[in-house]
Amino acid sequence: MATSKTLIHLLDTNTVPSNVEAASIEQSIAKYDIEIATCEIEIAKLRSQLDALVEQRRRHNAVLSPLRRMPLELLGEIFAMVPLYILDQRGRQDVINLGLVCKRWRDTTIYTHRLWSSVALSPHDGLKAYDKTVSWFEKSGGVPKSLEFSAWMHCGCSDGGDYRCLATNPALTRLLTEGPVLDHFTLIVSRTACFKNWIAAIDAAEKVPGKPRPWDALRSFDLTFNEDRRDRWGELEHDIPEQWCFSLLPPAITALHLYLPGAWAGFGEDEGLSRHGALKIPVEVLNRLITFTIKCDWSGTKLVELLHHCTNVETLTIKFNDGSPLLEERDNPLLHTLAKSRILLPKVRSLRLREAGTAEILRYLSTPAITNLDLGFADWGAEDDDFVDIVPKFLHASDATTSLLSLRIYNLHIAGYDLRQSLDGLDSLKRLTLDKVTWSGNLFIAMKNSDHKCKPRIPSVEQLEILQFPDDRGILPIGSGALMEGIRQGCMPCTLTMSIRGAHSQTWPFFTGESRRTWREKAFMYVQTVPPLNWECLQV
């Protein structure tokens, strides 16, 4: 709609309109409003048509989506990463919700038997939990089944009064006596008395004729005792051996993961009393183990006494609860003997230390079959002056310097010279991980007048990981100058993976494209950087 020529001068100036002009402008505005409304209706129709076309296009594109052609097996692998390893009530609901998305997803959840192979119960679950758990496990097919029961809170069964022990859950007892066959069972209890009550409930349950109890056929068992100052360790060495709780372990287990309370929790302020705590696992149980994990920071030599009988263990993990219990026992006659004639663990292939104050226990062990050594030190991260003395001697005593394939060190402060000495000569090593490790000087140095062009000489390393290095050093003390001289010539090309921790980790000067090419050509290293992540919290 055109504006009258007599009114055009008002549109581009501040001239005050007359009454007649104002009335004419108002009529024009009313006509514009009608036209705008008409256009808006038309726009709404067109937008509706556009939205419908876009939706039709989306639906047609969805038909061609690669996700439709993804095999159920692959989709199931993705689904298996969603819930927790052992499913509590919320985790089981997550699995059910996945199956509610569409028929294909429902078919995938049913097809993926692993999603139905684990259940976690709590003391609050009633007897009806038995039928629900059995029904859940029925969908797991032949996949090994895992059950977890956590009664970690303080239990009043030993405090006097009429308290039912939290561990004696009727549904749990029935599952372990007449339920489906289990591969793994995790039990978390408050104290030794609760574990004994649990065993008593198992023994009191009526046996089904001709059907073995799942408890008796159990292959893998996790037993954790809660750390609470109110829950003192209930067994001492002078007690009757037949009453010790570990004499009641499942008879057929080949994997045992035992997490004892810290000395501070189990024995009060005088942690030295822990040397009198009973820790007697039947020899026949230890002899049968293939996998053994133990968390123990108690005083005395109980731990090494147990290891004497682990002749078939292949994977050994020892957690020290951030302590160094063997340091104060160096004058013990047993350890004097073991320092000269080490405990032989002939089948251990993987040895892991966790939360260790020092590597002291390695003074007393020999593992001739070892291929993987994983040393994780305490959070307080004190410098271990004995590391260079203990670790190389352990590897030599095990005759492992030419057979070790993987070495991981976590949370250690060490002199550069000591680190180089400890690593030098590991000619078979394929993977070296220095995680949250700091050292003085450079990691690699050139050796003059020597057949060995560099130190440490780790010629077979294919993966070198330097993780969580502090950003306050400014540069990475790896010895780039020496490496650029070609001192690794003749060694296996390797991938160097790095991450930096600290306030400036995102702005730390990482390698440029040009420098990466130089490292590849002169140091035989393919450099990559990753975000900092504390993997120790994910370790067993």
Side-chain angles (χ1 to χ4, degrees):
M1 185 183 77
T3 303
S4 172
K5 292 182 179 181
T6 58
L7 300 177
I8 288 179
H9 71 283
L10 297 173
L11 300 179
D12 300 317
T13 66
N14 291 325
T15 303
V16 178
S18 65
N19 292 339
V20 174
E21 291 173 332
S24 180
I25 290 292
E26 288 176 353
Q27 291 179 0
S28 297
I29 291 173
K31 293 178 180 179
Y32 279 123
D33 287 343
I34 294 173
E35 291 189 15
I36 290 173
T38 302
C39 289
E40 287 178 341
I41 293 173
E42 191 65 25
I43 290 172
K45 291 180 180 179
L46 292 174
R47 180 172 288 118
S48 177
Q49 294 177 16
L50 177 63
D51 291 343
L53 290 172
V54 169
E55 174 62 16
Q56 288 298 322
R57 183 183 64 180
R58 184 196 65 78
R59 294 179 63 188
H60 281 69
N61 280 335
V63 174
L64 302 177
S65 171
L67 189 60
R68 286 203 176 199
R69 295 188 291 274
M70 182 181 292
L72 292 183
E73 295 88 346
L74 181 56
L75 194 57
E77 288 295 320
I78 297 173
F79 286 179
M81 298 178 184
V82 174
L84 298 173
Y85 171 62
I86 297 182
L87 302 181
D88 56 13
Q89 185 174 357
R90 179 176 178 179
R92 296 194 293 275
Q93 187 59 52
D94 287 342
V95 173
I96 293 173
N97 290 342
L98 285 173
L100 296 177
V101 173
C102 64
K103 183 180 183 301
R104 180 173 173 80
W105 281 33
R106 181 179 181 276
D107 291 343
T108 300
T109 58
I110 293 175
Y111 178 85
T112 308
H113 295 315
R114 276 191 298 156
L115 292 172
W116 311 91
S117 64
S118 67
V119 172
L121 300 178
S122 76
H124 304 296
D125 289 309
L127 191 56
K128 291 182 178 179
Y130 172 82
D131 294 326
K132 293 181 179 179
T133 302
V134 171
S135 176
W136 187 272
F137 279 146
E138 285 176 349
K139 298 180 180 65
S140 66
V143 174
K145 299 167 182 57
S146 299
L147 180 66
E148 177 182 297
F149 182 80
S150 176
W152 60 267
M153 66 286 290
H154 174 70
C155 182
C157 65
S158 299
D159 295 342
D162 188 19
Y163 290 100
R164 181 183 69 83
C165 180
L166 295 175
T168 57
N169 179 278
L172 179 65
T173 301
R174 191 177 174 192
L175 283 167
L176 268 293
T177 55
E178 57 180 279
V181 175
L182 296 174
D183 179 74
H184 176 82
F185 176 49
T186 296
L187 179 63
I188 304 173
V189 293
S190 179
R191 58 180 82 185
T192 54
C194 296
F195 179 64
K196 291 179 179 179
N197 290 338
W198 152 243
I199 295 295
I202 289 284
D203 291 339
E206 184 177 353
K207 294 185 178 181
V208 178
K211 182 179 180 181
R213 301 186 307 177
W215 172 255
D216 296 329
L218 199 65
R219 185 199 64 83
S220 176
F221 182 41
D222 275 27
L223 177 58
T224 299
F225 293 94
N226 182 32
E227 291 195 335
D228 190 318
R229 288 189 180 275
R230 294 172 293 177
D231 296 328
R232 295 289 185 260
W233 187 255
E235 298 184 346
L236 301 177
E237 288 186 328
H238 58 71
D239 293 336
I240 301 173
E242 290 76 13
Q243 296 179 355
W244 289 336
C245 66
F246 298 123
S247 64
L248 308 173
L249 289 171
I253 56 172
T254 58
L256 174 62
H257 307 276
L258 177 61
Y259 302 93
L260 300 170
W264 64 270
F267 300 92
E269 295 181 359
D270 188 358
E271 296 184 11
L273 291 175
S274 61
R275 68 177 63 250
H276 303 298
L279 183 53
K280 302 292 186 180
I281 300 176
V283 172
E284 58 271 20
V285 173
L286 293 172
N287 285 341
R288 193 167 47 246
L289 294 180
I290 297 175
T291 301
F292 184 33
T293 299
I294 182 168
K295 177 184 177 183
C296 179
D297 66 347
W298 297 3
S299 300
T301 59
K302 297 178 178 61
L303 178 58
V304 292
E305 292 171 17
L306 290 179
L307 296 180
H308 263 296
H309 306 290
C310 296
T311 53
N312 287 302
V313 168
E314 298 178 6
T315 301
L316 175 62
T317 304
I318 304 172
K319 306 184 73 170
F320 284 103
N321 205 29
D322 287 350
S324 305
L326 293 179
L327 278 178
E328 61 192 56
E329 304 293 334
R330 283 189 177 180
D331 294 332
N332 188 295
L334 173 61
L335 295 188
H336 272 298
T337 301
L338 292 179
K340 300 175 183 178
S341 178
R342 297 167 179 252
I343 298 173
L344 177 63
L345 301 172
K347 295 186 178 181
V348 168
R349 298 179 60 83
S350 180
L351 174 59
R352 305 165 181 159
L353 300 188
R354 293 283 181 266
E355 304 167 9
T358 69
E360 179 73 13
I361 194 170
L362 298 184
R363 291 185 187 274
Y364 314 109
L365 304 180
S366 174
T367 56
I370 191 169
T371 58
N372 172 46
L373 179 61
D374 189 337
L375 305 176
F377 293 97
D379 285 339
W380 38 270
E383 185 166 335
D384 187 355
D385 295 329
D386 291 335
F387 185 92
V388 68
D389 177 56
I390 295 174
V391 176
K393 287 183 178 180
F394 161 73
L395 293 173
H396 281 286
S398 301
D399 196 23
T401 55
T402 57
S403 60
L404 191 69
L405 299 179
S406 174
L407 173 62
R408 176 179 178 268
I409 305 172
Y410 171 80
N411 204 30
L412 178 70
H413 299 290
I414 188 171
Y417 177 84
D418 290 347
L419 181 59
R420 291 191 295 271
Q421 289 290 105
S422 301
L423 298 176
D424 200 38
L426 300 181
D427 292 348
S428 60
L429 200 64
K430 297 291 186 182
R431 181 172 184 172
L432 173 61
T433 302
L434 304 177
D435 190 350
K436 209 175 178 181
V437 176
T438 56
W439 60 88
S440 56
N442 288 321
L443 177 60
F444 290 99
I445 61 173
M447 297 295 292
K448 306 298 183 183
N449 303 320
S450 172
D451 292 337
H452 293 77
K453 294 184 178 181
C454 66
K455 188 173 184 178
R457 181 168 173 78
I458 40 180
S460 299
V461 165
E462 298 175 358
Q463 296 182 63
L464 174 59
E465 298 170 317
I466 301 176
L467 307 177
Q468 298 195 85
F469 197 83
D471 63 2
D472 56 5
R473 295 293 299 271
I475 61 172
L476 188 69
I478 191 173
S480 57
L483 289 171
M484 292 304 108
E485 296 175 6
I487 61 173
R488 290 196 72 250
Q489 189 171 4
C491 297
M492 182 71 68
C494 76
T495 299
L496 171 60
T497 303
M498 296 183 304
S499 68
I500 309 299
R501 60 183 169 90
H504 303 95
S505 61
Q506 301 302 319
T507 58
W508 203 83
F510 290 120
F511 292 88
T512 64
E514 181 62 32
S515 63
R516 290 173 193 262
R517 285 190 292 272
T518 303
W519 276 75
R520 185 168 60 248
E521 295 169 359
K522 296 186 176 182
F524 307 101
M525 291 184 176
Y526 299 83
V527 181
Q528 63 180 2
T529 56
V530 296
L533 177 64
N534 189 352
W535 289 99
E536 185 71 3
C537 63
L538 304 178
Q539 303 292 324
V540 176

